[in-house]
Amino acid sequence: MTTKTTWPLMRVLGDRDAGLYLCGVVVSGFGTSALWLASGVWVKDLTGSDGLAALCMLAMWLPTLAGPLLGTLADRGRRRPLLIGANLLPAALLLTLLGVGTQADLWLLYAVLFVYGATGVVHDAAESALVATAIEPSLLGDFNGLRMTANEAMKLLAPLAGAGLSAAYGGAGVALLDAATFVLAAGLYAMLRVRESRPARPTGSGRRRTMAGARHLWAHPVLRPLVLAGGVTMLCAGLNGAMVYAVVDDLGHSPTYTGVLYAVQGAGSLVVGLLCGPGLRRLGTRRFAASGVALLALATALRAVPWDPVALVCCAAIGTGLPAVLIAALTSVQRETPGALLGRVTATAHTLVYAPNVVGLAAGAALVELVSHRLVLVALGVALLVTAVALGQSPARAERTAPRSSSDASPA
């Protein structure tokens, strides 16, 4: 039993290209997570404004809305050179931030962060497409789980390093660190041995090519319910996240206690990343995703209970349940999409799944001032439970063809 569970995971870890991918994720993820925190602190120190500091995160997230358009770049040429360029470009741009020293220079910081975010959309689309060509479909769930684990580990460690570096050397020091991690990641991606053929010349209008990813998602019986469930889940997750300070107040702690809650949530995400490969094989993508959403629903509703042990258990459960639908959706996109479309479909799926999280955060920030957070949390739990039930009851006939689906027929 143990061999069946661990062997696919060890096959991924033993694969040279998969190892290089994961090292690239760890290195660039460390720099990105450090910059997320340091950029806001940088602006706060220069201006004293919470609103201007919050715009840093908005500048990085805003390009996600243009995912369908940016994803076309990942389908226009070979993905490995594009992946290398998508690391070297932000590395060069980050060096320009060494000149930011006054409030008048903030436009440059926001502009760099915006391009940084747009490059990240292209990077994720190209990486997803390239991974699907290098790793056999049956191991994609294991790889995506390990990728999630690596990302979450960096989110636990990098903000602390970024905060310390920012305090010692300012935001420019963190920008230099992030630039160095991008250069190192570009070197790792350059070592990949993936063979790629040149894509066929694009046909049809630019608008039609841009929308091809959305049409594929909407018409596909496996991908549509997963992506829609992912979007609803992330909307609720954004609303839930906006309640965190009210939850901490209800527990009788200072705002710094949120760091403890986020650390416990991150630990839950580390665990599910290691278990999702076996879970996807045993349950299938829809039932695995539905199980995660159901766990998230229960944990979200129980956060209304003002008791520390319950709060900590709920945070761990949220960290475990939330990634399930995200990993299931991404793995299905990689399995069920022809190689020529994979960049656009991935970027479009990311837009549909992650953009609602921004909406949820904004709506939650307003809602928490008007309505009891306990009522909101219970309502979110009910909404998530309905989502889980709907996803679990979706017909699974198409899903069972996944190992023999379009990913195997892909030109890549």
Side-chain angles (χ1 to χ4, degrees):
M1 185 69 177
T2 302
T3 303
K4 288 184 178 181
T5 302
T6 58
W7 175 242
L9 190 63
M10 296 307 296
R11 286 171 63 192
V12 173
L13 291 174
D15 183 90
R16 178 183 181 275
D17 285 337
L20 288 172
Y21 278 122
L22 291 172
C23 287
V25 168
V26 168
V27 169
S28 61
F30 184 90
T32 298
S33 296
L35 186 68
W36 277 352
L37 175 66
S39 60
V41 174
W42 196 355
V43 172
K44 175 71 173 177
D45 288 341
L46 289 175
T47 67
S49 170
D50 292 331
L52 291 176
L55 285 180
C56 293
M57 186 64 72
L58 178 62
M60 295 176 74
W61 270 98
L62 200 57
T64 305
L65 300 177
L69 178 61
L70 294 171
T72 60
L73 298 177
D75 292 332
R76 294 290 296 272
R78 293 188 177 95
R79 276 75 180 246
R80 189 173 72 102
L82 180 61
L83 201 57
I84 295 170
N87 281 274
L88 294 179
L89 175 60
L93 288 175
L94 284 166
L95 296 180
T96 67
L97 297 183
L98 299 180
V100 175
T102 67
Q103 193 168 340
D105 300 324
L106 287 184
W107 68 270
L108 178 60
L109 175 60
Y110 292 132
V112 169
L113 291 177
F114 180 81
V115 178
Y116 188 111
T119 306
V121 174
V122 177
H123 177 283
D124 289 348
E127 182 192 62
S128 176
L130 197 58
V131 163
T133 71
I135 297 176
E136 60 183 271
S138 64
L139 297 178
L140 283 172
D142 299 275
F143 175 86
N144 290 327
L146 287 172
R147 190 185 190 283
M148 173 70 70
T149 297
N151 266 329
E152 292 303 319
M154 290 306 99
K155 288 178 184 178
L156 290 176
L157 300 176
L160 297 176
L165 195 61
S166 179
Y169 301 103
V174 182
L176 278 175
L177 169 67
D178 199 13
T181 63
F182 274 119
V183 172
L184 182 54
L188 290 169
Y189 292 132
M191 295 170 63
L192 294 172
R193 295 175 179 171
V194 180
R195 294 182 179 180
E196 296 182 273
S197 58
R198 185 179 296 276
R201 296 186 64 178
T203 59
S205 65
R207 180 177 179 274
R208 184 173 181 82
R209 292 197 303 270
T210 299
M211 296 306 296
R215 289 196 299 271
H216 178 79
L217 281 176
W218 187 253
H220 202 287
V222 172
L223 300 183
R224 184 174 67 238
L226 280 169
V227 171
L228 289 177
V232 173
T233 300
M234 290 303 289
L235 174 66
C236 293
L239 287 161
N240 180 34
M243 304 292 132
V244 64
Y245 290 105
V247 169
V248 169
D249 284 341
D250 212 18
L251 293 171
H253 295 290
S254 68
T256 57
Y257 191 71
T258 56
V260 176
L261 298 183
Y262 280 131
V264 174
Q265 181 174 326
S269 296
L270 290 176
V271 172
V272 75
L274 298 174
L275 298 178
C276 69
L280 285 168
R281 280 187 290 274
R282 180 176 294 274
L283 299 176
T285 51
R286 293 184 185 180
R287 284 191 293 170
F288 177 74
S291 299
V293 177
L295 178 61
L296 177 64
L298 181 62
T300 299
L302 287 177
R303 288 185 88 187
V305 178
W307 190 32
D308 281 302
V310 173
L312 293 172
V313 170
C314 286
C315 283
I318 288 170
T320 303
L322 179 58
V325 67
L326 307 180
I327 294 172
L330 175 59
T331 301
S332 292
V333 164
Q334 291 170 321
R335 286 175 174 171
E336 300 287 340
T337 304
L341 275 177
L342 196 45
R344 281 165 286 179
V345 174
T346 298
T348 302
H350 281 181
T351 296
L352 295 174
V353 170
Y354 291 109
N357 183 249
V358 182
V359 176
L361 285 168
L367 195 61
V368 73
E369 299 292 339
L370 304 174
V371 183
S372 167
H373 73 280
R374 296 183 185 180
L375 181 61
V376 174
L377 291 172
V378 172
L380 289 175
V382 172
L384 286 166
L385 188 59
V386 170
T387 302
V389 171
L391 182 60
Q393 290 181 343
S394 297
R397 184 177 305 164
E399 181 183 335
R400 288 194 290 268
T401 69
R404 296 171 287 125
S405 64
S406 55
S407 62
D408 295 318
S410 163

